[in-house]
Amino acid sequence: MSIRVIKNFINGEFTAGESGKTYDVRTPVDNSIIAEVHEAGQAEVDAAVLAARDAMVGPWGSMTVDQRSALLNKVADRIDERFEEFLEAECLDTGKPRSLASHIDIPRGAANFRMFADVIKNTPTESFRLDTPDGTGAVNIGHRGPKGVIAVISPWNLPLLLMTWKVGPALACGNTVVVKPSEETPLTTTLLGEVMNECGVPAGVYNVVHGFGPDSAGAFLTAHPDVDAITFTGETRTGEIITQSAAIGLRDVSMECGGKNAGIVFADCDMDKALEGTMRSVFVNCGQVCLGTERMYVERSIFDEFVRRLAELAADLTLGAPDNPDANMGPLISKEHQEKVLSYYKLAAEEGATVVLGGGVPDMGSELADGAWVEPTIWTGLDDNARVIREEIFGPCCHIRPFDTEQEVIALTNDNDYGLATAIWTENSGRAIRVAEKIDVGIAWVNSWFLRDLRTAFGGAKQSGMGREGGVHSLEFYTELKNICIKL
Ligand code: NAD
């Protein structure tokens, strides 16, 4: 396979830039090199931010909302037309099954543009009539304008989907963006640059700089004084560093960070539904979903049956390369991440877990032997203070613990630093609402998981994030709300 050369995308042009630095990207399927990426230095980041500023006050800023919306719909259509190329690029970078990326990553990437093109056209602002002592009165009109140049820092687990989740609303609101995709997954973000040009999006509206975090494009971009706001998805620790950087100049941040999500299964659940949903929430995308479940709490009377049946289903997962039509689980993102996940597999044994399933590296045959593969893994028997139960692993694994009462399971679920999502399985709707209301998370699913209505608020409580995006909530972050007061 030929190695792709990936350049920065600045002011509508692909450029290697002046830094002279490059790095290799490897596919986690077999660890072979798939791309050589030109890393952006300070000069490239400066150029990208300047291009974004010029486009904001220039062609993009002077377009009507209708014109901008039409262009974003065109971008979505073009992603659909080039679906196969986006799919191939995403699978190459991440190693995920084509069946998964073709159902989630790429269609949702396009949907994010359509959705926010629509939201911006249909969201009203407030207006108040004010009485004044002279009797003539005044009217107040809320006005939403763009915030400016937005830095978008995105992760590797759902590269196109999570990046467009930010770029879509940012552009719809009239901002311009400089995107720093994960160093692990630069391909689809770069391909989107071609699409922007093909659709006639003005140069400088969408820019891409490649590189790492510290002392590289990520840090240069988030520290840049001409960046007005930063939207980030990734680890909580990185979010803290970026928030510190954003404090200089009091720039706004939106933080979508890590999770250690609990699944709660009550004895009155529909067991088949709970098992099907838990299989997805633990193992989909090889467990690399921020919303995924790594802590399961199951009511004691059905605990043994649930553990046995989940293990049987997980044992049936087929691991394989993206083009294997039978594969429903791919590798982890990298050898480095494989090492991290395997260190938790080892730790679980040291902390006294009973290994119900997996716990090691599968035999994938000689061709895939160098890939970042790990076995789907289920544990029981850990103490509530075990690190395996408290820390985000981001792999295809979960611990299952029995519980006896509603109060107990609420306390167990909330006893964690993170607060992103939860999935509650019960056929008792009163209980479902009662428990959902008491769990400290941004998203509580009942009898489902990852069922996303893009109009709804998305974000995390506690150390899982700051702020909400989605539907009109994205406008809170991507616009500056001004009040215009007119004395009559
Ligand atoms: P990460 O924090 O390592 O990296 C995310 C991005 O930040 C990358 O582009 C990286 O290059 C950049 N970065 C790293 N250090 C930086 C710095 N000092 N300054 C500026 N940029 C920097 O996260 P990851 O490993 O790519 O992604 C996995 C994490 O993302 C998990 O914790 C997962 O839970 C989280 N995540 C959260 C959500 C959500 O919506 N809450 C969604 C997906 C993933």
Side-chain angles (χ1 to χ4, degrees), residues 41 66 73 78 113 139 186 198 232 300 302 341-342 344 356 369 385 416 453:
D66 271 355
N73 277 310
R78 191 68 187 135
F113 285 104
V139 279
E198 287 165 353
F232 167 77
R300 196 173 300 275
I302 59 163
V341 172
L342 289 175
Y344 277 100
V356 178
N385 287 321
N416 196 270
D453 181 330

Side-chain angles (χ1 to χ4, degrees), residues 218-219 221-224 230 240-251:
L221 180 59
T222 49
H224 202 291
I230 303 164
E240 288 171 349
I241 294 168
I242 291 176
T243 303
Q244 283 170 353
S245 190
I248 310 293
L250 289 186
R251 292 160 315 136

Side-chain angles (χ1 to χ4, degrees), residues 153-154 156 180 183 213 218 233-235 238 256-258 290 392 458:
I153 309 283
S154 48
W156 46 256
K180 211 294 286 168
E183 54 274 31
T233 302
E235 286 185 18
T238 314
E256 298 185 339
C257 298
C290 56
E392 183 184 48
F458 181 88

Side-chain angles (χ1 to χ4, degrees), residues 210-423:
H210 292 294
F212 303 84
D215 299 320
S216 183
F220 301 149
L221 180 59
T222 49
H224 202 291
D226 218 22
V227 162
D228 298 292
I230 303 164
T231 176
F232 167 77
T233 302
E235 286 185 18
T236 298
R237 179 76 199 106
T238 314
E240 288 171 349
I241 294 168
I242 291 176
T243 303
Q244 283 170 353
S245 190
I248 310 293
L250 289 186
R251 292 160 315 136
D252 210 354
V253 289
S254 172
M255 292 280 142
E256 298 185 339
C257 298
K260 184 73 181 179
N261 310 301
I264 303 171
V265 186
F266 287 100
D268 60 13
C269 73
D270 176 324
M271 176 80 93
D272 291 339
K273 265 197 257 172
L275 284 163
E276 189 274 332
T278 304
M279 278 299 294
R280 286 191 298 114
S281 77
V282 176
F283 299 111
V284 84
N285 208 32
C286 200
Q288 303 166 117
V289 180
C290 56
L291 306 161
T293 310
E294 290 187 354
R295 301 183 285 150
M296 289 301 299
Y297 298 107
V298 179
E299 198 164 347
R300 196 173 300 275
S301 60
I302 59 163
F303 179 80
D304 289 342
E305 183 189 353
F306 187 89
V307 173
R308 178 180 53 77
R309 289 182 61 188
L310 190 73
E312 280 167 10
L313 290 168
D316 268 353
L317 285 166
T318 304
L319 279 66
D323 53 3
N324 175 348
D326 298 326
N328 43 23
M329 199 170 123
L332 293 167
I333 188 65
S334 63
K335 296 292 277 182
E336 196 188 346
H337 191 48
Q338 182 196 36
E339 225 173 85
K340 174 183 164 185
V341 172
L342 289 175
S343 76
Y344 277 100
Y345 283 13
K346 187 162 164 269
L347 181 63
E350 287 164 9
E351 289 185 316
T354 301
V355 182
V356 178
L357 183 78
V361 177
D363 179 1
M364 298 300 296
S366 57
E367 268 185 31
L368 306 184
D370 277 343
W373 303 93
V374 292
E375 287 178 330
T377 294
I378 298 173
W379 305 286
T380 57
L382 281 173
D383 185 83
D384 293 327
N385 287 321
R387 282 180 52 207
V388 166
I389 295 187
R390 310 200 74 82
E391 298 172 13
E392 183 184 48
I393 301 171
F394 223 50
C397 52
C398 73
H399 176 263
I400 316 181
R401 178 207 196 281
F403 71 88
D404 295 296
T405 68
E406 221 175 275
Q407 287 80 354
E408 180 194 13
V409 79
I410 290 168
L412 285 167
T413 301
N414 285 340
D415 181 21
N416 196 270
D417 291 338
Y418 293 108
L420 188 52
T422 196

Side-chain angles (χ1 to χ4, degrees), residues 26-298:
R26 292 169 184 271
T27 170
V29 170
D30 60 10
N31 207 31
S32 59
I33 296 174
I34 53 163
E36 180 192 47
V37 183
H38 287 270
E39 183 179 346
Q42 185 68 55
E44 289 72 37
V45 171
D46 286 349
V49 173
L50 181 64
R53 173 69 55 201
D54 288 349
M56 232 267 327
V57 290
W60 196 240
S62 49
M63 271 188 198
T64 63
V65 171
D66 271 355
Q67 287 169 327
R68 277 204 313 264
S69 281
L71 270 180
L72 296 182
N73 277 310
K74 216 168 152 185
V75 168
D77 292 344
R78 191 68 187 135
I79 293 174
D80 287 348
E81 284 161 15
R82 298 186 66 176
F83 191 91
E84 269 304 314
E85 289 168 81
F86 275 96
L87 183 58
E88 197 202 339
E90 205 71 310
C91 291
L92 204 55
D93 259 347
T94 61
K96 64 179 77 185
R98 281 174 67 88
S99 54
L100 177 67
S102 62
H103 278 95
I104 296 185
D105 300 63
I106 313 305
R108 273 282 305 277
N112 285 336
F113 285 104
R114 287 199 183 96
M115 156 78 191
F116 290 104
D118 209 31
V119 167
I120 193 66
K121 283 171 67 171
N122 295 300
T123 307
T125 49
E126 63 189 17
S127 169
F128 288 104
R129 182 81 159 75
L130 179 72
D131 292 337
T132 54
D134 65 4
T136 61
V139 279
N140 291 282
I141 303 169
H143 171 266
R144 288 194 181 278
K147 204 161 245 177
V149 175
I150 311 284
V152 177
I153 309 283
S154 48
W156 46 256
N157 60 329
L158 296 153
L160 182 71
L161 186 161
L162 291 172
M163 182 266 295
T164 53
W165 173 245
K166 294 167 178 304
V167 170
L171 298 190
C173 293
N175 305 283
T176 53
V177 297
V178 180
V179 184
K180 211 294 286 168
S182 168
E183 54 274 31
E184 312 273 9
T185 52
L187 296 187
T188 47
T189 307
T190 310
L191 196 50
L192 189 61
E194 288 181 21
V195 166
M196 293 286 174
N197 280 351
E198 287 165 353
C199 294
V201 174
V205 170
Y206 173 84
N207 305 276
V208 181
V209 290
H210 292 294
F212 303 84
D215 299 320
S216 183
F220 301 149
L221 180 59
T222 49
H224 202 291
D226 218 22
V227 162
D228 298 292
I230 303 164
T231 176
F232 167 77
T233 302
E235 286 185 18
T236 298
R237 179 76 199 106
T238 314
E240 288 171 349
I241 294 168
I242 291 176
T243 303
Q244 283 170 353
S245 190
I248 310 293
L250 289 186
R251 292 160 315 136
D252 210 354
V253 289
S254 172
M255 292 280 142
E256 298 185 339
C257 298
K260 184 73 181 179
N261 310 301
I264 303 171
V265 186
F266 287 100
D268 60 13
C269 73
D270 176 324
M271 176 80 93
D272 291 339
K273 265 197 257 172
L275 284 163
E276 189 274 332
T278 304
M279 278 299 294
R280 286 191 298 114
S281 77
V282 176
F283 299 111
V284 84
N285 208 32
C286 200
Q288 303 166 117
V289 180
C290 56
L291 306 161
T293 310
E294 290 187 354
R295 301 183 285 150
M296 289 301 299
Y297 298 107
V298 179

